[in-house]
Amino acid sequence: MEAKKPTTGKFGLIYGTAAAIIGIVFTFMLMASDLLFDPSPVKSIVQAIIFIVIVILAIYNFKKNNDNYLSLGQSLAIGAIVAIVASIIGLIFMYCLTTFIVPDFWAQNAEVTRVIMIKNNPSLSPEDLENMLEMQSKFNWIIYPAMLVMNLVVGFFTALITGLILKKTENLY
């Protein structure tokens, strides 16, 4: 009886769920340390590195469980599935965060934006500032599709590069 071959779907689902859970834990850590609304790019960079490492681990472990064989298509499939699963869970969490956990999330975010705008442009009139913040509030929803697209793009390029590096196909002869 032949050993059961691993599936890209299973690895994508497992590692995508892991990526989402780690992202959620990271968000709670930011909340606990009062850094959720910190405008520093460091937290985004850390989140991106965590996501990239998880995609690489998923592909590497798939290859290891697949008799050390990996095609570029398998790598891309794993990257896409990890990104989609992590995004869907992350979007559900983001909705819960902004609606239930921190119900005034968008108001707090607007206040941080207000402070940054005044600091960067002290000559900005109060009316212009209010108009800009009002316009921004109309587009808060854009974070949801942007999060999905960014995860897909990062997942694709990570899987592409990892797949090109780790690719090894079976000899059919």
Side-chain angles (χ1 to χ4, degrees), residues 27-38 43 108:
T27 300
F28 281 121
M29 288 171 45
L30 290 172
M31 290 171 65
S33 55
D34 202 28
L35 294 172
L36 185 62
F37 296 101
D38 180 33
K43 65 184 183 183
Q108 288 185 48

Side-chain angles (χ1 to χ4, degrees), residues 14 40 54 61 84-85 94 113 127 129 140:
I14 291 169
S40 168
I54 290 172
N61 285 324
I84 290 168
V85 170
M94 182 73 174
T113 302
E127 297 82 24
L129 180 63
N140 286 339

Side-chain angles (χ1 to χ4, degrees), residues 48 51 83 87 143-156:
F51 180 71
S87 293
I143 192 74
Y144 300 105
M147 200 168 118
L148 176 65
V149 170
M150 281 306 299
N151 272 357
L152 287 171
V153 168
V154 172
F156 172 79

Side-chain angles (χ1 to χ4, degrees), residues 131-142:
N131 288 338
M132 293 170 93
L133 290 172
E134 185 180 324
M135 183 62 77
Q136 178 189 352
S137 72
K138 292 179 181 177
F139 292 100
N140 286 339
W141 62 269
I142 200 81

